[in-house]
Amino acid sequence: LNAEVWGIENVRSIARAAKKVLDKVLSADVEIAVEKLPDSYFDTIIFADVLEHLVDPYTVLNNIKSKLKPTGELIASIPNIRHWSVIKELLEGKWDYQNAGILDRTHLRFFTKKSIMEMFQNSGFTVRAVQATTIQGSAIPEKLVKYMNEAGINVSTLLEESKHYQYLVKAVP
């Protein structure tokens, strides 16, 4: 693709392996590595399932803006805590961390579509596009949404958003 590709990886063994296939790899936590990146350098920065692992993703997003070229963009994939699989378990009194997925035991932050949008906007980004990945056969019962609505709970976006396993966001400063 005639592209220069950098990576940030805090697991040293994975960083060593990445150095064999990427142009440059910083072996550090993202929060620290962002400060070492050159200003106005990158066309695209990708946070592929990263932000939910950070102590302070808001500051990282705020700091990463200066690393993008004026026409640069940021792409992020972020799990949706409002997915029906999580809601169902929570309604049944369960919150069990897992080795992967939305409730990955290494996640420090959890996001809904609304909180994702607010995080980007509050960090000085304009969201240009949002797409969602879904899992077939995973939908909240419409009857449940109806009952919650009748109980006075604002569920106007729940039926649609509970289908979304993960959000893919494209944003610009």
Side-chain angles (χ1 to χ4, degrees):
L1 297 175
N2 196 27
E4 179 181 4
V5 180
W6 290 35
I8 298 172
E9 177 55 57
N10 66 350
V11 177
R12 293 196 193 285
S13 61
I14 296 173
R16 279 193 301 276
K19 286 180 181 181
K20 296 175 184 175
V21 294
L22 301 181
D23 295 297
K24 183 160 181 135
V25 176
L26 302 177
S27 183
D29 289 334
V30 172
E31 293 92 339
I32 295 167
V34 165
E35 297 173 13
K36 298 176 181 179
L37 297 174
D39 288 337
S40 301
Y41 190 81
F42 298 96
D43 295 308
T44 304
I45 295 176
I46 300 172
F47 285 105
D49 297 322
V50 171
L51 296 171
E52 65 273 14
H53 295 271
L54 303 180
V55 172
D56 188 359
Y58 315 97
T59 298
V60 170
L61 283 176
N62 193 51
N63 292 341
I64 204 76
K65 285 189 315 252
S66 66
K67 309 308 177 179
L68 287 167
K69 289 180 179 177
T71 58
E73 65 184 2
L74 187 141
I75 307 290
S77 57
I78 305 168
N80 176 28
I81 195 65
R82 204 173 183 207
H83 187 260
W84 171 238
S85 63
V86 177
I87 295 170
K88 181 182 182 297
E89 294 287 310
L90 192 56
L91 289 172
E92 294 174 349
K94 301 174 193 167
W95 182 275
D96 297 322
Y97 287 98
Q98 301 162 2
N99 291 328
I102 296 171
L103 290 178
D104 184 302
R105 64 184 77 255
T106 63
H107 288 178
L108 301 177
R109 301 287 179 170
F110 298 94
F111 298 96
T112 63
K113 183 179 182 182
K114 182 179 179 186
S115 66
I116 290 168
M117 300 300 285
E118 289 172 351
M119 175 175 61
F120 278 93
Q121 290 166 355
N122 292 339
S123 298
F125 283 90
T126 300
V127 174
R128 293 278 193 229
V130 178
Q131 294 180 339
T133 59
T134 59
I135 297 176
Q136 185 134 351
S138 182
I140 191 169
E142 289 187 34
K143 190 185 264 188
L144 180 57
V145 174
K146 177 182 178 259
Y147 293 146
M148 286 189 284
N149 189 50
E150 290 173 0
I153 301 170
N154 180 359
V155 290
S156 59
T157 60
L158 181 60
L159 190 59
E160 181 63 25
E161 291 178 16
S162 66
K163 298 174 190 174
H164 301 162
Y165 187 80
Q166 181 178 58
Y167 287 106
L168 307 171
V169 178
K170 177 180 178 180
V172 296

